[in-house]
Amino acid sequence: MPTATATATATPKAVIHQRYGAKAVYKVDEVREDADGVCPGLALPQNTRCVYRCQLDIPEVLSVATPGTFVRKKDAEQAAAQIAIEKLGIQPTSNIPNTPEEAWEELIGRISYFFTDENFPTSSHPLVGHLSVTLRRTGDLLGKILISAIVACDVKVHTLCKIIDPKAEFDPLLVLSMIYNAAKQSPGVSVSNRNLWIQSQRPYSPEAVDLALQRWSGISDPIRVEAVLIPCAMEDEPKVVSLNMSENEHYMGDIASKLSATDSSHVLVSRTVGKASSEIRFYFPAPDVQFVSDLSKELVDDCGDRNMNCVINKRASYISGQTIYGDAVLANVGYTRRDTELQTDHVNLCTYYRILLRKLPDGIYKISKDSILVAELPCVYTRTSWRGPSPRDLLCSFCRLQRLSEPHFAANRVSTSCNVLRSAVGSEQVGSPKDQCIIDGRIGKENPDMFKCSVKIYSKKRELLLEYYTDYSWSKETDAVQNSALRVLIWFNRYFKQLNMPVEKLYLPKSTDGFTIYPNIFLQEFAMCLSVYGKTSGGDSRTCNTVGYFSMDTSYEQLESSTFLTDIDGQDSGVFPSHGSMACISYSIHLFMKDSRKRHLLEVNNEFEFEIGAGAVRNQLESCATQISVNQSAFFVDELSDRDLSLAAASELSPDLSKISRDSCVLEFSVKLLQVTEPLEDRMEKALFNPPLSKQRVEFAVRHINQLHATTLVDFGCGSGSLLDSLLEHPTTLEKIVGVDISRKGLTRAAKSLHQKLSKKLLLQTSFPAAVLYHGSVTDFDSRLYGFDIGTCLEVIEHVEEDQASLFGNVVLSSFCPAVLIVSTPNYEYNPILQRSAMPNKEEQQEENAGPCKFRNHDHKFEWTRSQFQRWATGLAASHNYSVEFSGVGGSSDEPGYASQIAVFRRMATDQGGSSPIENDSHQPYEVLWEWPNASIPLTEFGRR
């Protein structure tokens, strides 16, 4: 007999239940209490939180109540039970055997109990539901119960079998064999060597039979239940089957016929899958062997023989975490303690694909958002913008569903020196001033408390398979945990989307991004996953034959791809989502079948909120949302790249819907933009400055334009054209304005806005400048923009790495050579004032008080102090024959300086006589996306690209 040990201490509630049963009554009260950081006596609404206290009453014994409050109800109940245990002097003891021998003896006694006339038939145990069916029969099957029914109904039997042999957790056949052998030694129990029935050796008394039949009602009318047949052969698709149940017939009878099993006793049962409250299980045929007692042994010896009916069903085994053999039926039917009759519910292909989806790293997130086809696991975590289950909870759920141990989080307090550390948003390095420390994008003078969190993922046997260490530090322990959990989730998400990547590339012993993978253990734990997902179709390495195509590329270029929009409806409100803003949309998605010209509604959501630029939705939908304004709606079509996600999203599946393919169908999206909430950075600025900093920067530029009598202007990194759009509202000397940006989405919005304003000027017959929008990188020179009167780059450089910011400065001043260049960027030293002046909600307030000041936007790769910015600008000016002066907007030049610091570069006179240093004027890498007048691409067409 295998050796194993197991110890377990019952929870306080379990101890009380063992002693007093239903007499113990818990009363939980919900109360509101002040959150941390409130001001007593303030006559304004302040933050409160919901907490719980509990009272435990045991009539004629005692009544106790918790002195304090708890965030969770169950914690309050456990605390009350613990108080009662201490008052009563109860000594908790383990009710689980410590050795395999003890477990074996208890298993024998447990099976005997099931067939004891004095106790069992009168109880509410779900196995009595199975017994009640057999008691309504006549003939040889009267009173006989399926051994597999014991497997399905009794958790304690499972626990005992795992103590006897830990392999029993993953092998229903081994559990069945143990129960059978224990039953042969159980007093008063009879089993056969030729089948899998079990019964009492003595007939039940008439009184016990009457009580059982009264407690468990039979089937009065025939019941039809949908289930899903999962073929063992991977090339065969799952299909829906109907189970028909009639009076006095056990429900496994029809399942046995669907599986071509000898009879219902030869149908084995897995543990529940999906939601814990459901009875969804896999039913599969027992292998055909000569002696039941040797069932598991013969299976192990002969599993490689194709003549044996023991071929592993990979899909069912992967979902259940147990070894399933042959074809399997996924059905939701069974008896529970909660009910007095057979519980049934339909299981269709949508149910099956959702269960599969839940096992993916981003599956639970998609389902929790009720947005399977739209939602994606975000690439960044902030408490103010995260929606849905936290990254830590998602990672824990993922590990449980993969039958791994709970993830181990180790959050450690770290000392903060003045060394340069990485920023929390993932930039390479942030330059730090000599007298201050920058950590997590935060500035501090007194070595504040910071936290780092490492994560370790273990197998069920506690073998280490992955560990993650980070250089990022956070001012709150919970932020460190959540961000590290998200990084691990993202790693797993990439792994599941690229299962066909060569092992030597995916499993490097040491990884540069903080991950260390232990390949042998990792591959062992995910062997079944690889066997299910790891096949390709059509040469696409990202196509999995079970879950379809999942796009893994979240590169900047793909995120910037523009979606072709049609049927844009509604007036342009002028309010567009921008990077970092929260967009709220409604949408519906239909599947259009090209051959039959049919449409099927797959998914609809009346209110869905996400952060622009966080990777929280599929790329095409974000592109759509950023091209329309509030209260506008649009329509676009996308390819069916994720067949099984579509099947998981569909609430109702017609027979032809299960046959869809990427070539024969497309997805039709209808989207309406309901609301836009500005990024925190903009809200902070508006809370303190009137007019906002963005308008003050425009006014600063206008003053210099008119002082210079500039006629040409180029805005480097124009984005959605806010500066160019605002310049049209001011009288200037400009005759031509140009915008350059790498984002097609931003240029689309800029074109729409400029077209609208210039069209009005044309109708009013007022003067207007020519306008051109170029798509390209500001670090690439284009000869068409050489020698402009003025160049602007407002609040752009902080969105790229520092070396790219320096490259931009060198290219502009050495090649583009504008007469004047205006560059603005946030002043890091002003951030504490901005963040104190913002009026945040509850979550933002918590983050604000969490520690030192942070970046204004999580997308910022750096934020410079005045000394850093001045060193950067003076170095550029000296290298390229420019002078530079410093100014700013928002605040004053006194400490801590302007909120937005500005450098104005002026080209100094040279002896070149003004001739161009660029002799080759054919260097034109930029693409013209829109121009006015005589636009080569009509805006109505451009807006749909």
Side-chain angles (χ1 to χ4, degrees):
M1 187 175 294
T3 59
T5 59
T7 58
T9 303
T11 63
K13 280 190 69 177
V15 172
I16 293 296
H17 181 75
Q18 291 169 9
R19 183 67 64 92
Y20 299 103
K23 291 182 180 180
V25 179
Y26 296 86
K27 181 182 178 182
V28 179
D29 295 322
E30 179 181 316
V31 296
R32 307 291 299 186
E33 70 177 21
D34 292 337
D36 296 336
V38 299
C39 179
L42 184 63
L44 290 173
Q46 299 188 71
N47 294 331
T48 61
R49 63 176 181 173
C50 175
V51 293
Y52 303 92
R53 58 169 58 99
C54 179
Q55 178 174 320
L56 169 59
D57 292 319
I58 307 176
E60 301 179 1
V61 180
L62 90 166
S63 177
V64 297
T66 56
T69 58
F70 299 84
V71 176
R72 301 188 300 179
K73 290 182 181 180
K74 63 180 181 180
D75 292 340
E77 292 175 340
Q78 294 289 1
Q82 182 62 41
I83 294 172
I85 288 172
E86 294 171 356
K87 286 184 176 291
L88 294 169
I90 299 174
Q91 297 297 322
T93 59
S94 172
N95 63 338
I96 298 178
N98 293 319
T99 67
E101 291 76 15
E102 292 176 3
W104 181 255
E105 292 301 321
E106 187 164 339
L107 178 61
I108 293 172
R110 183 70 175 169
I111 294 173
S112 294
Y113 160 78
F114 290 150
F115 299 93
T116 304
D117 193 28
E118 295 80 14
N119 298 314
F120 183 63
T122 62
S123 74
S124 60
H125 195 287
L127 191 58
V128 183
H130 293 267
L131 177 63
S132 68
V133 175
T134 69
L135 293 176
R136 292 182 170 91
R137 290 173 170 172
T138 59
D140 293 341
L141 295 180
L142 175 64
K144 290 185 176 181
I145 296 178
L146 310 164
I147 295 181
S148 57
I150 299 176
V151 178
C153 293
D154 198 74
V155 175
K156 189 169 185 179
V157 164
H158 269 281
T159 302
L160 295 171
C161 289
K162 287 188 290 184
I163 296 173
I164 297 168
D165 188 341
K167 295 178 182 177
E169 180 177 3
F170 309 103
D171 192 349
L173 200 56
L174 180 58
V175 174
L176 190 79
S177 179
M178 288 182 183
I179 295 174
Y180 178 87
N181 289 318
K184 293 178 68 175
Q185 302 179 34
S186 299
V189 177
S190 175
V191 292
S192 168
N193 274 338
R194 297 295 179 181
N195 57 41
L196 299 171
W197 297 103
I198 186 171
Q199 64 181 352
S200 173
Q201 291 179 342
R202 300 180 302 275
Y204 294 108
S205 67
E207 294 79 14
V209 172
D210 289 341
L211 286 172
L213 297 181
Q214 290 173 15
R215 174 73 176 84
W216 297 91
S217 58
I219 298 175
S220 56
D221 298 315
I223 299 175
R224 177 183 171 278
V225 180
E226 286 186 354
V228 175
L229 177 66
I230 315 296
C232 185
M234 291 292 290
E235 60 270 16
D236 295 337
E237 291 285 341
K239 63 180 180 180
V240 176
V241 296
S242 293
L243 305 179
N244 299 294
M245 303 166 198
S246 57
E247 185 178 4
N248 296 337
E249 292 295 331
H250 197 277
Y251 65 84
M252 284 198 197
D254 199 45
I255 295 177
S257 66
K258 294 293 188 295
L259 296 172
S260 301
T262 304
D263 58 31
S264 56
S265 75
H266 285 75
V267 175
L268 305 186
V269 187
S270 77
R271 60 175 141 226
T272 57
V273 298
K275 294 182 179 179
S277 59
S278 75
E279 282 297 306
I280 301 179
R281 302 174 187 268
F282 284 106
Y283 297 83
F284 58 101
D288 186 13
V289 295
Q290 187 173 4
F291 296 103
V292 177
S293 59
D294 294 329
L295 192 60
S296 183
K297 179 180 182 300
E298 294 203 18
L299 179 69
V300 172
D301 292 340
D302 298 308
C303 187
D305 187 353
R306 290 287 178 177
N307 295 323
M308 291 287 293
N309 182 24
C310 61
V311 180
I312 293 177
N313 189 316
K314 295 178 180 178
R315 286 175 289 199
S317 299
Y318 170 68
I319 291 174
S320 66
Q322 295 179 298
T323 306
I324 308 296
Y325 304 96
D327 295 343
V329 169
L330 183 66
N332 189 352
V333 57
Y335 295 97
T336 68
R337 292 181 181 273
R338 301 183 300 272
D339 304 288
T340 59
E341 58 185 18
L342 182 67
Q343 293 302 298
T344 63
D345 201 356
H346 294 301
V347 173
N348 54 27
L349 288 175
C350 174
T351 312
Y352 166 72
Y353 285 110
R354 286 199 176 210
I355 291 173
L356 262 179
L357 177 62
R358 282 175 58 86
K359 291 183 73 72
L360 298 178
D362 58 352
I364 292 180
Y365 181 79
K366 287 175 174 287
I367 292 173
S368 70
K369 298 278 288 182
D370 197 22
S371 179
I372 292 175
L373 294 176
V374 166
E376 298 288 348
L377 188 66
C379 58
V380 292
Y381 170 82
T382 57
R383 277 173 284 145
T384 56
S385 60
W386 185 271
R387 301 292 185 268
S390 70
R392 184 186 188 280
D393 290 343
L394 290 172
L395 182 58
C396 290
S397 297
F398 170 74
C399 290
R400 294 186 201 112
L401 289 169
Q402 295 294 333
R403 308 297 174 184
L404 303 173
S405 297
E406 289 288 306
H408 179 265
F409 299 93
N412 300 310
R413 200 181 302 269
V414 295
S415 60
T416 58
S417 63
C418 288
N419 296 328
V420 177
L421 297 180
R422 293 188 181 189
S423 75
V425 294
S427 59
E428 289 300 321
Q429 288 191 334
V430 181
S432 60
K434 295 180 179 179
D435 58 341
Q436 293 173 319
C437 304
I438 295 183
I439 299 177
D440 177 24
R442 302 165 186 261
I443 207 166
K445 299 180 180 179
E446 298 295 335
N447 292 347
D449 290 336
M450 305 297 291
F451 294 89
K452 291 182 179 181
C453 181
S454 62
V455 183
K456 294 183 178 181
I457 305 296
Y458 293 91
S459 70
K460 199 68 175 178
K461 298 177 182 178
R462 299 298 298 172
E463 298 170 308
L464 184 62
L465 58 89
L466 178 150
E467 54 186 333
Y468 170 69
Y469 292 94
T470 178
D471 289 334
Y472 305 159
S473 55
W474 305 85
S475 60
K476 285 185 72 74
E477 182 177 350
T478 180
D479 287 344
V481 171
Q482 298 294 356
N483 279 279
S484 291
L486 179 59
R487 298 308 306 168
V488 176
L489 267 176
I490 290 173
W491 189 94
F492 273 115
N493 211 31
R494 291 179 180 273
Y495 166 73
F496 269 72
K497 306 305 187 288
Q498 302 179 66
L499 290 174
N500 295 283
M501 179 180 291
V503 173
E504 61 271 15
K505 291 186 178 181
L506 191 60
Y507 306 117
L508 293 176
K510 290 291 183 180
S511 177
T512 56
D513 54 4
F515 287 90
T516 303
I517 312 300
Y518 300 88
N520 293 336
I521 304 300
F522 193 98
L523 290 173
Q524 177 182 316
E525 289 300 310
F526 287 92
M528 190 61 69
C529 166
L530 286 167
S531 68
V532 172
Y533 291 103
K535 292 186 178 181
T536 61
S537 175
D540 188 342
S541 63
R542 293 174 295 179
T543 301
C544 303
N545 73 323
T546 298
V547 295
Y549 173 91
F550 290 83
S551 175
M552 192 53 208
D553 183 6
T554 56
S555 63
Y556 183 82
E557 289 77 15
Q558 181 173 352
L559 289 174
E560 292 300 333
S561 61
S562 186
T563 300
F564 184 87
L565 303 183
T566 60
D567 300 331
I568 299 178
D569 187 36
Q571 291 187 346
D572 187 348
S573 65
V575 181
F576 292 89
S578 59
H579 193 96
S581 64
M582 298 296 295
C584 184
I585 64 172
S586 63
Y587 68 86
S588 62
I589 306 173
H590 286 79
L591 179 77
F592 178 70
M593 307 183 74
K594 300 175 184 178
D595 297 336
S596 61
R597 313 297 293 177
K598 292 182 179 179
R599 283 182 174 83
H600 299 271
L601 178 63
L602 294 183
E603 188 169 283
V604 61
N605 201 316
N606 294 323
E607 190 172 308
F608 181 79
E609 190 175 28
F610 65 96
E611 180 181 357
I612 299 293
V617 294
R618 64 190 295 153
N619 300 327
Q620 297 81 0
L621 188 134
E622 179 169 311
S623 174
C624 169
T626 55
Q627 293 182 56
I628 58 178
S629 63
V630 171
N631 293 326
Q632 281 190 318
S633 60
F635 177 89
F636 70 92
V637 176
D638 194 15
E639 67 176 4
L640 181 71
S641 57
D642 37 27
R643 169 186 176 275
D644 291 4
L645 281 185
S646 298
L647 295 176
S651 56
E652 296 183 3
L653 288 176
S654 62
D656 58 340
L657 198 56
S658 61
K659 301 176 184 178
I660 62 176
S661 66
R662 191 187 311 180
D663 297 331
S664 63
C665 304
V666 293
L667 296 178
E668 298 178 339
F669 289 75
S670 180
V671 181
K672 183 175 183 179
L673 184 60
L674 304 177
Q675 183 180 350
V676 173
T677 303
E678 293 177 320
L680 179 61
E681 178 184 8
D682 294 346
R683 282 180 278 156
M684 288 190 298
E685 291 181 357
K686 287 185 176 181
L688 188 60
F689 300 105
N690 187 20
L693 286 182
S694 58
K695 289 191 175 181
Q696 292 190 41
R697 286 189 288 266
V698 172
E699 293 171 354
F700 183 93
V702 169
R703 286 197 300 271
H704 281 74
I705 291 168
N706 291 332
Q707 288 173 6
L708 292 169
H709 301 288
T711 59
T712 56
L713 176 142
V714 54
D715 187 21
F716 296 102
C718 66
S720 57
S722 58
L723 173 62
L724 302 178
D725 183 272
S726 299
L727 289 177
L728 296 179
E729 299 175 356
H730 294 80
T732 67
T733 57
L734 291 174
E735 298 175 2
K736 182 177 183 178
I737 56 176
V738 173
V740 180
D741 205 276
I742 195 67
S743 169
R744 289 180 179 270
K745 292 189 298 184
L747 292 171
T748 299
R749 295 193 296 269
K752 293 175 67 175
S753 178
L754 291 172
H755 183 275
Q756 188 178 46
K757 286 196 173 182
L758 289 170
S759 297
K760 289 181 179 179
K761 287 181 174 289
L762 181 63
L763 291 174
L764 297 174
Q765 296 184 345
T766 57
S767 60
F768 56 86
V772 184
L773 295 178
Y774 290 105
H775 176 252
S777 170
V778 295
T779 58
D780 292 334
F781 172 68
D782 189 295
S783 60
R784 288 169 291 186
L785 303 185
Y786 171 78
F788 271 49
D789 292 336
I790 192 166
T792 55
C793 183
L794 307 183
E795 309 296 292
V796 173
I797 60 173
E798 64 273 9
H799 291 273
V800 300
E801 303 294 349
E802 286 187 287
D803 59 345
Q804 291 295 302
S806 296
L807 176 60
F808 160 75
N810 284 315
V811 170
V812 170
L813 298 182
S814 66
S815 300
F816 287 100
C817 301
V820 171
L821 174 67
I822 301 175
V823 178
S824 75
T825 191
N827 173 14
Y828 195 79
E829 297 164 276
Y830 205 92
N831 286 5
I833 299 175
L834 274 178
Q835 292 170 13
R836 285 198 303 268
S837 302
M839 295 183 288
N841 57 31
K842 176 180 177 180
E843 290 184 338
E844 290 168 357
Q845 182 67 50
Q846 292 173 343
E847 190 163 1
E848 178 188 334
N849 294 334
C853 157
K854 59 177 182 176
F855 285 175
R856 299 183 194 179
N857 190 315
H858 67 74
D859 186 55
H860 288 181
K861 300 300 188 293
F862 64 87
E863 288 183 2
W864 279 333
T865 61
R866 288 169 292 172
S867 61
Q868 290 175 292
F869 182 54
Q870 290 170 14
R871 280 199 301 271
W872 176 81
T874 53
L876 286 173
S879 299
H880 301 292
N881 200 32
Y882 276 78
S883 65
V884 62
E885 59 188 42
F886 298 96
S887 183
V889 295
S892 67
S893 58
D894 299 332
E895 292 296 327
Y898 293 103
S900 184
Q901 52 188 339
I902 298 176
V904 180
F905 299 85
R906 300 180 188 274
R907 190 175 64 213
M908 294 189 291
T910 65
D911 56 2
Q912 296 179 359
S915 62
S916 170
I918 307 297
E919 297 180 358
N920 183 9
D921 62 359
S922 63
H923 187 71
Q924 300 179 359
Y926 291 171
E927 175 189 0
V928 178
L929 287 190
W930 177 85
E931 59 183 323
W932 178 281
N934 299 321
S936 59
I937 304 175
L939 181 70
T940 55
E941 295 299 323
F942 175 73
R944 297 173 183 173
R945 287 180 176 266

